[in-house]
Amino acid sequence: MTVRGEQQLRQELERLMKRRPIITQAIAEARELGDLKENAEYHAAREEQGICEAQIRDIEYKLSVAQVIDIAKMPNNGKVIFGSTVSLIDCNTDDEVTYQIVGDDEADIKKNLISINSPIARGLIGKEEGDEVSITVPGGVKEFEIDSVKYV
């Protein structure tokens, strides 16, 4: 994962950890209302607690096994690698698009962050500035020219 991806996960973990005591308090208040079998507030709070705990475990696991790559500290040799920002020119339409290749959890196509496991990223990895690549995407085969590769 990228450094930004790690920071986002740590922020989410911190938010969830702050949420824990609030949920515990909600459970305690709901318990005081009486019969737990028919207590909707209690069941809702318990469900929220389960979801929160599952998310905490998931993030902690991801952070424990993640390999964080700081692309900015690597020398730029013009080759497309994980974390690099790639400007592409569509050979058919001359449209330009820029993507950063990131981990699965960081991917957000609206922000032009594509997963390392996406067809476009797999087709670009290892290529260099100036190369023309044909990539099979769900809509067919796209041809791109790699305009620039940045390590930011």
Side-chain angles (χ1 to χ4, degrees):
M1 86 176 41
T2 65
V3 173
R4 182 178 61 239
E6 179 193 27
Q7 290 170 344
Q8 289 172 341
L9 277 181
R10 290 198 186 282
Q11 288 171 354
E12 179 65 9
L13 181 62
E14 187 177 314
R15 184 189 70 78
L16 290 169
M17 294 295 236
K18 288 179 181 174
R19 187 107 182 90
R20 257 182 177 167
I22 296 168
I23 296 170
T24 303
Q25 181 64 33
I27 290 171
E29 288 173 6
R31 212 179 254 147
E32 292 173 5
L33 296 176
D35 186 18
L36 298 182
K37 286 183 180 178
E38 296 179 16
N39 188 331
E41 290 86 4
Y42 174 78
H43 292 291
R46 291 287 300 183
E47 184 176 337
E48 185 179 0
Q49 181 183 41
I51 292 168
C52 182
E53 293 301 322
Q55 289 174 332
I56 288 171
R57 282 191 306 274
D58 184 48
I59 292 172
E60 286 176 338
Y61 173 75
K62 287 176 183 176
L63 289 172
S64 72
V65 298
Q67 181 179 2
V68 179
I69 297 173
D70 189 354
I71 190 76
K73 293 183 179 177
M74 302 177 103
N76 188 342
N77 59 6
K79 195 173 254 189
V80 178
I81 60 173
F82 177 83
S84 59
T85 302
V86 185
S87 292
L88 304 171
I89 298 173
D90 188 318
C91 293
N92 297 324
T93 63
D94 286 336
D95 290 340
E96 187 171 339
V97 65
T98 302
Y99 295 117
Q100 182 178 13
I101 300 172
V102 297
D104 290 331
D105 293 324
E106 303 170 72
D108 184 352
I109 194 64
K110 292 176 184 168
K111 296 179 182 176
N112 289 349
L113 302 173
I114 60 172
S115 166
I116 185 74
N117 295 313
S118 70
I120 293 176
R122 286 187 305 213
L124 292 173
I125 294 292
K127 304 295 190 281
E128 297 180 0
E129 280 183 23
D131 286 355
E132 288 191 15
V133 294
S134 294
I135 301 171
T136 304
V137 294
V141 176
K142 295 277 240 171
E143 294 193 12
F144 296 104
E145 179 183 340
I146 299 174
D147 186 42
S148 69
V149 178
K150 297 177 186 165
Y151 292 4
V152 290

